[in-house]
Amino acid sequence: MASAAQQEDTQEILFGMRQADERPLYKKAVAGTKSFAVKYPMGMVGAVIMVLLVAMAIVPALFTPLSVQKADSIIGIHIGDRFESPGSQWWFGTNALGRDMYGRLIYGARTAIMIGFGAVILAKLLSTFIGTVSAFFGGWIDAAIQRVVEMVQSIPTLIFLILFVVMLEPRLPDIGPLSSDMLVILLVVAVHSGFVSSRTVRGVALSLREEVYVEAAQALGASDARIMAKHMVPNLFAYVIVSASLFVGAAVLLESSLSFLGYGVQPPAPSWGRELNEAREELARYPHLAFFPGLFIFATVWSFNMFGDALRDRLDPRLRGST
Amino acid sequence: MQRYILRRIVLMVPTLFGTTFLVFAMMRLMPGDFTDFLGGDFGALDAETKALIQAEFGLDQNWAVQYVGWIADLLRGDFGVSVYSGRPINEDLIQRLPITLELGILAMVINVIIGIPIGIISAIRQFSWYDYVGRASAIGLLAVPNFWIALLAIALAGKYALWAVPTPTYPGLLEDPIENIRFMLFPAILTGAAGAGYQMRFGRTAMLEVMRQDYIRTAWSKGLQERAVIIKHGLRNALIPIVTVIGLFLPGLIGGTVVIETIYSIPGMGRYFIHALNGRDLFIVQALAVIFTLVVIFSNFVVDILYSVLNPRIRYS
């Protein structure tokens, strides 16, 4: 099923109303970005912040002065340097353990982005799978899956996450840069959202199931798995991409809420939410310790939401401005 | 309609049993239990004493017996006792439930009075500067961590002696209503803020959807005044989905109260939950999780029913 815009393009090219676009790929990309920026200025601002954050997560050294890059100033303990005010040496000051706040926040981007992206990718795979299977088979399989989805949905999100995190916490191994506590949050957020958002996927998949081409594939004797993988899932793609871009922000916010309550990322790993939690102790005297971590969380969630919103308008105008 | 309601109620039963069992199982699969914390500063208890204490609360029986016993107690309205204080949980709940309820209702009111009007005006004046500011602030509200604003507010209030300084103890609603509202208003705003963002966006979409309908075009072409078109023809129809969706904010709201109660030391159910969980006071955690879940299931039910009553075009099969 080509989108309306694609069909229009094909027609114009076929009937010679417009030349096919033969510019090299990078020029098309530049032009595409430009038109996106003109049409959705706020979305573009979001995209720029997003790119910065991802860069921060991949190469934090680009953003920090040399003196901060030593792991020691980020996860070491320096009693002599406790609670320094923001200044030329410590840009955002130092915290209760004498750690450089600026460095910790920059390195915290990696934690947030890893958990955010990881949870979203897993969640969307899961929700696409559950939603498609549930819609395709219908009957008792659908009914059973929907009961499980309802169960997950009925427990308030934060309560569900906290209970599962506490249950799983020390039981998972570290995988590469993901320590076991990060892995737990990633998995729990992904599973929760995977189940909950499978409902909308199911709704879309139910209508796809009625399409003529699915019927045609069935008539030709295609297997169930093939119909789902080749005919239904590709048509869910635009929807899934858009909802994924909108969910990264939510995942980052959930991670910081958990870390703030003390159930999330464990010290000494840098995490914005955890940093806010620690700032509570000396809040009256050192409010800047609470200001900067929150600003990072806010900027991240805001930029992903802004970009996701613009992307949705661009890819699926029917959904424009919906929640 | 009656058949639909009946079917809906029947479907709630497996969900209820499923969630209660999930919570029950999770509490038993958690690493460590309350007996690990009982020794306190004097070191851990020995295995024998632990087993004795566990037996006292029936935790030595197998899961099936424990679960059935717990459900039977629940059905009689008995939530069990705290393993630390030995106090019946019902007594604690009588004190704590109204506090969280007050916070939740205030938050809901704030969510509605901020969210709905802005969303609707945003839709009526689509693509105006008002719309852009409205949408941007809705996304802002969704993105801002409420615990961050809470901390900043406390810090600033402490510095400049603003009115939002949290008093150390929660003033009772009945004993001191004015002080109570002063205490609760800011936490309630913070709890309701994220929901208000969603409400704005949802209200805007619903209104836009209605304003595109044929009957609105008819109303315009009849030469009706703008007021009449927007309020009588547009708003009335848009309000149906907007009002029904309010119930769907509850799960988020409950999470919000947990965080905000922790920060502002409000002795409600959220703080009770965190406190109990950290001490593995399992019957309290189970009781609260069940209550929270019941609230969500019930509100979803009401939303579904309301929706089909208010909107006759939607008939469930």
Side-chain angles (χ1 to χ4, degrees):
Chain A
M1 186 180 65
S3 74
Q6 276 173 335
Q7 279 172 1
E8 222 169 73
D9 282 352
T10 337
Q11 277 170 3
E12 283 184 11
I13 293 166
L14 278 179
F15 297 118
M17 292 183 213
R18 199 174 72 183
Q19 291 290 308
D21 197 345
E22 282 169 353
R23 291 173 297 171
L25 194 63
Y26 76 94
K27 275 196 179 166
K28 272 197 233 174
V30 170
T33 316
K34 260 190 199 160
S35 78
F36 185 83
V38 171
K39 213 166 171 202
Y40 307 102
M42 294 310 268
M44 198 61 205
V45 175
V48 170
I49 300 179
M50 232 174 75
V51 170
L52 276 178
L53 281 163
V54 173
M56 235 177 247
I58 299 171
V59 212
L62 276 179
F63 295 82
T64 45
L66 273 175
S67 61
V68 173
Q69 286 175 19
K70 297 187 295 283
D72 186 47
S73 66
I74 290 166
I75 56 173
I77 296 176
H78 310 270
I79 294 302
D81 301 334
R82 298 176 76 208
F83 297 122
E84 293 288 346
S85 304
S88 58
Q89 192 180 356
W90 292 287
W91 295 358
F92 291 173
T94 59
N95 69 8
L97 294 171
R99 292 169 181 160
D100 180 75
M101 280 299 278
Y102 178 76
R104 273 183 81 73
L105 294 183
I106 296 290
Y107 280 82
R110 180 174 288 177
T111 313
I113 295 289
M114 269 194 317
I115 295 180
F117 273 90
V120 167
I121 292 170
L122 254 176
K124 292 304 151 187
L125 286 175
L126 191 65
S127 67
T128 309
F129 179 76
I130 298 175
T132 312
V133 167
S134 194
F136 182 80
F137 288 107
W140 68 267
I141 295 181
D142 184 39
I145 293 177
Q146 289 315 304
R147 291 293 81 68
V148 177
V149 172
E150 253 165 45
M151 260 170 59
V152 175
Q153 217 173 16
S154 306
I155 306 178
T157 314
L158 205 59
I159 304 285
F160 182 96
L161 298 181
I162 291 175
L163 285 175
F164 262 97
V165 165
V166 174
M167 186 182 86
L168 290 174
E169 183 119 56
R171 298 190 176 162
L172 296 180
D174 297 346
I175 297 181
L178 278 170
S179 60
S180 71
D181 42 310
M182 296 182 198
L183 188 65
V184 170
I185 305 173
L186 192 160
L187 283 179
V188 171
V189 171
V191 168
H192 184 267
S193 153
F195 273 99
V196 171
S197 64
S198 75
R199 282 222 137 157
T200 4
V201 176
R202 174 176 169 269
V204 182
L206 272 178
S207 64
L208 290 180
R209 203 191 167 338
E210 304 302 317
E211 293 283 347
V212 189
Y213 53 81
V214 172
E215 213 176 309
Q218 262 168 337
L220 287 170
S223 69
D224 292 347
R226 187 184 163 85
I227 293 174
M228 281 188 274
K230 295 266 170 179
H231 298 276
M232 290 172 74
V233 170
N235 286 309
L236 286 167
F237 204 62
Y239 167 78
V240 170
I241 288 288
V242 168
S243 68
S245 70
L246 284 170
F247 183 65
V248 180
V252 170
L253 203 54
L254 285 174
E255 182 270 317
S256 26
S257 303
L258 282 173
S259 298
F260 176 74
L261 288 170
Y263 298 107
V265 177
Q266 297 304 317
S271 149
W272 300 332
R274 183 87 206 175
E275 220 58 55
L276 268 176
N277 180 2
E278 284 165 12
R280 283 177 71 188
E281 284 168 28
E282 289 287 348
L283 189 58
R285 279 199 288 167
Y286 309 107
H288 63 269
L289 291 182
F291 178 73
F292 292 114
L295 191 65
F296 271 69
I297 302 174
F298 174 65
T300 310
V301 181
W302 185 87
S303 63
F304 275 99
N305 283 353
M306 267 327 212
F307 175 72
D309 238 27
L311 193 68
R312 172 176 51 196
D313 281 9
R314 177 79 172 228
L315 290 182
D316 196 348
R318 280 169 308 163
L319 297 168
R320 190 163 291 169
S322 65
T323 42
Chain B
M1 190 65 218
Q2 272 166 347
R3 277 194 54 171
Y4 174 66
I5 295 179
L6 206 70
R7 205 179 93 99
R8 209 44 193 69
I9 292 175
V10 171
L11 283 180
M12 269 155 68
V13 176
T15 314
L16 265 175
F17 278 106
T19 44
T20 47
F21 186 75
L22 196 65
V23 173
F24 172 88
M26 273 196 277
M27 285 319 291
R28 275 149 191 81
L29 289 173
M30 272 178 197
D33 73 352
F34 67 97
T35 53
D36 295 328
F37 298 90
L38 277 177
D41 293 344
F42 305 102
L45 300 178
D46 54 88
E48 234 174 278
T49 325
K50 276 186 184 177
L52 264 174
I53 298 172
Q54 280 165 346
E56 194 182 323
F57 292 101
L59 295 172
D60 53 340
Q61 288 155 318
N62 68 30
W63 278 26
V65 177
Q66 286 188 44
Y67 180 68
V68 171
W70 177 54
I71 291 289
D73 282 347
L74 277 187
L75 291 176
R76 274 184 272 120
D78 175 11
F79 286 109
V81 294
S82 158
V83 291
Y84 286 98
S85 65
R87 239 194 343 261
I89 294 169
N90 294 38
E91 276 178 26
D92 287 353
L93 282 178
I94 289 171
Q95 290 185 340
R96 289 171 182 271
L97 195 82
I99 297 173
T100 299
L101 207 62
E102 186 198 345
L103 183 63
I105 290 173
L106 275 176
M108 205 70 123
V109 169
I110 281 156
N111 165 342
V112 167
I113 58 177
I114 298 179
I116 295 181
I118 297 183
I120 285 170
I121 300 173
S122 197
I124 298 170
R125 302 267 174 268
Q126 195 185 6
F127 301 130
S128 68
W129 66 269
Y130 185 93
D131 184 27
Y132 285 116
V133 173
R135 278 164 77 187
S137 54
I139 294 192
L141 283 179
L142 293 180
V144 69
N146 53 13
F147 44 94
W148 178 47
I149 300 296
L151 292 188
L152 293 184
I154 292 174
L156 286 178
K159 219 166 189 155
Y160 301 107
L162 298 177
W163 63 277
V165 186
T167 48
T169 49
Y170 166 84
L173 180 60
L174 297 177
E175 292 97 68
D176 192 352
I178 295 171
E179 194 56 33
N180 176 277
I181 295 292
R182 264 169 54 115
F183 182 86
M184 293 291 261
L185 190 61
F186 201 68
I189 292 176
L190 291 176
T191 315
Y198 280 110
Q199 187 68 267
M200 264 182 220
R201 286 156 68 88
F202 190 82
R204 179 174 179 275
T205 317
M207 191 68 186
L208 277 180
E209 198 85 344
V210 168
M211 295 305 280
R212 274 186 211 132
Q213 299 294 319
D214 288 341
Y215 56 80
I216 296 290
R217 199 184 314 142
T218 313
W220 283 120
S221 53
K222 274 198 300 189
L224 289 184
Q225 285 190 335
E226 192 183 15
R227 256 182 96 85
V229 176
I230 289 173
I231 294 176
K232 276 200 172 167
H233 296 255
L235 195 56
R236 272 208 183 167
N237 287 297
L239 275 181
I240 297 171
I242 294 175
V243 170
T244 45
V245 88
I246 292 174
L248 299 181
F249 295 119
L250 270 173
L253 203 71
I254 291 173
T257 60
V258 172
V259 176
I260 294 296
E261 283 180 10
T262 312
I263 298 177
Y264 279 94
S265 305
I266 299 172
M269 306 218 298
R271 212 162 75 108
Y272 193 38
F273 176 84
I274 296 289
H275 190 77
L277 181 65
N278 289 345
R280 302 284 187 278
D281 203 339
L282 74 173
F283 299 118
I284 297 182
V285 177
Q286 285 176 187
L288 291 178
V290 168
I291 293 174
F292 289 143
T293 307
L294 270 179
V295 171
V296 174
I297 291 182
F298 185 70
S299 65
N300 283 345
F301 173 69
V302 173
V303 166
D304 274 8
I305 301 299
L306 257 185
Y307 202 66
S308 63
V309 170
L310 290 177
N311 193 348
R313 275 172 302 179
I314 301 206
R315 278 282 175 246
Y316 295 84
S317 53

